[in-house]
């Protein structure tokens, strides 16, 4: 099992540009989570999906952020336009819902720098 | 609402010292409890878990016991190593969520001196 795969590992972009982060969850997992981690705010849940359907997006900071899960094996998090305060490490995690005692499996993260 | 409170870091210890990182929780229902570890430059990894009261989770020499009477899940290790330097997150499952939502604490940074 390759685990949760995120791409790219690092992204440097200029303010105002569109950024797309990608995630491939573990095969068979039906819940997917996007987190953001910064020194100031720690680990923040942005949005999560169950069976490809967004369940709770209350953590998405503003309309510049959007997330999609077109199928069970792929999700994207898009920021448009990007701003320097969006600089953070973005993690994707997946799990099998109703088996929550197994916990999540996290990807290695995408380090985003907006200059 | 459901929440997790863990001791603030950083925690700095000498190699072979005894480690305790405190974690308490507030939850309705019967959550599962977890400790995750994040090594530098990596994502979070599940370290151990406990699914019901009095369960003890253990892994890599770390232990934590699910204490319902004190709503605690403290992480312990008898003799730490330099390689244990990382950030540790206490977490609980949210029994009220439709998906397998987990609530994380703020993390405790642990540094071990040789």
């Amino acid at each position: 099992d390759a685990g949760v795969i995120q791409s790219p590992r690092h992204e440097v972009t200029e303010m105002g540009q569109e950024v797309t982060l990608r995630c491939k969850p573990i095969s068979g997992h039906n819940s997917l989570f996007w987190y953001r981690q910064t020194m100031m705010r720690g680990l923040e849940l942005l949005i999560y999906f169950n069976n490809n359907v967004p369940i709770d997006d209350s953590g998405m900071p503003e309309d510049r952020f959007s997330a999609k899960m077109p199928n069970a094996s792929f999700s994207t998090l898009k920021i448009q336009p990007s701003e320097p305060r969006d600089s953070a490490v973005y993690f994707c995690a997946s799990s099998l819902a109703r088996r929550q005692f197994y916990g999540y499996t996290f990807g290695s993260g995408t380090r985003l720098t907006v200059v | 609402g459901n929440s997790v409170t863990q001791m603030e870091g950083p925690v700095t210890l000498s190699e072979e010292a005894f480690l305790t990182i405190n974690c308490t929780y507030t939850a309705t229902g019967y959550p599962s409890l977890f400790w995750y570890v994040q090594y530098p430059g990596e994502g979070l990894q599940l370290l151990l878990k406990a699914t019901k009261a009095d369960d003890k989770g253990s892994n890599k020499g770390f232990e934590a016991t699910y204490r319902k009477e004190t709503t605690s899940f403290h992480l312990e290790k008898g003799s730490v190593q330099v390689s244990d330097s990382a950030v540790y997150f206490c977490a609980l499952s949210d029994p009220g969520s439709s998906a397998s939502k987990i609530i994380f604490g703020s993390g405790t940074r642990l540094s071990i001196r040789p």
Side-chain angles (χ1 to χ4, degrees):
Chain A
D1 189 345
V4 176
I5 300 173
Q6 291 187 246
S7 63
R9 284 298 307 272
H10 302 274
E11 177 80 36
V12 180
T13 190
E14 292 185 347
M15 182 174 63
Q17 296 298 305
E18 178 180 295
V19 175
T20 300
L21 311 181
R22 297 173 176 79
C23 176
K24 177 178 169 54
I26 288 177
S27 177
H29 282 188
N30 59 356
S31 291
L32 184 139
F33 306 80
W34 281 101
Y35 283 86
R36 177 171 70 175
Q37 187 177 39
T38 61
M39 290 293 291
M40 292 295 294
R41 302 172 71 94
L43 197 62
E44 302 173 275
L45 176 62
L46 301 178
I47 184 171
Y48 69 96
F49 297 82
N50 191 32
N51 294 322
N52 312 337
V53 176
I55 302 299
D56 184 352
D57 65 354
S58 60
M60 297 285 262
E62 47 197 276
D63 291 345
R64 298 184 296 107
F65 286 69
S66 62
K68 294 182 180 180
M69 192 165 186
N71 56 62
S73 59
F74 185 65
S75 177
T76 59
L77 177 68
K78 186 177 293 186
I79 308 173
Q80 166 63 18
S82 57
E83 297 183 3
R85 59 194 168 119
D86 302 330
S87 297
V89 181
Y90 291 80
F91 289 104
C92 176
S94 71
S95 72
L96 190 59
R98 296 196 305 278
R99 302 294 293 273
Q100 54 185 265
F101 48 83
Y102 288 132
Y104 296 169
T105 302
F106 278 80
S108 299
T110 295
R111 181 174 295 277
L112 174 65
T113 304
V114 183
V115 298
Chain B
N2 298 333
S3 65
V4 174
T5 303
Q6 59 182 107
M7 64 188 289
E8 290 191 22
V11 174
T12 303
L13 297 172
S14 296
E15 203 165 21
E16 299 183 1
F18 183 87
L19 168 71
T20 300
I21 300 178
N22 290 336
C23 172
T24 57
Y25 67 90
T26 301
T28 55
Y30 302 96
S32 296
L33 301 175
F34 308 89
W35 277 100
Y36 280 80
V37 59
Q38 184 179 28
Y39 298 104
E42 298 183 13
L44 280 71
Q45 303 173 24
L46 180 63
L47 179 60
L48 54 83
K49 66 181 187 299
T51 60
K52 60 183 187 296
D54 299 326
D55 266 2
K56 178 185 285 188
S58 61
N59 186 25
K60 299 181 181 180
F62 291 89
E63 293 182 341
T65 301
Y66 191 143
R67 301 287 188 199
K68 196 166 179 62
E69 64 276 12
T70 54
T71 62
S72 65
F73 193 55
H74 304 320
L75 182 68
E76 297 182 335
K77 186 174 186 182
S79 176
V80 293
Q81 306 300 313
V82 172
S83 57
D84 294 327
S85 299
V87 181
Y88 292 81
F89 293 87
C90 186
L92 63 81
S93 62
D94 184 352
S97 68
S98 58
S100 50
K101 184 178 176 181
I102 292 179
I103 296 170
F104 288 89
S106 56
T108 301
R109 183 174 300 277
L110 174 66
S111 295
I112 306 300
R113 295 188 299 254

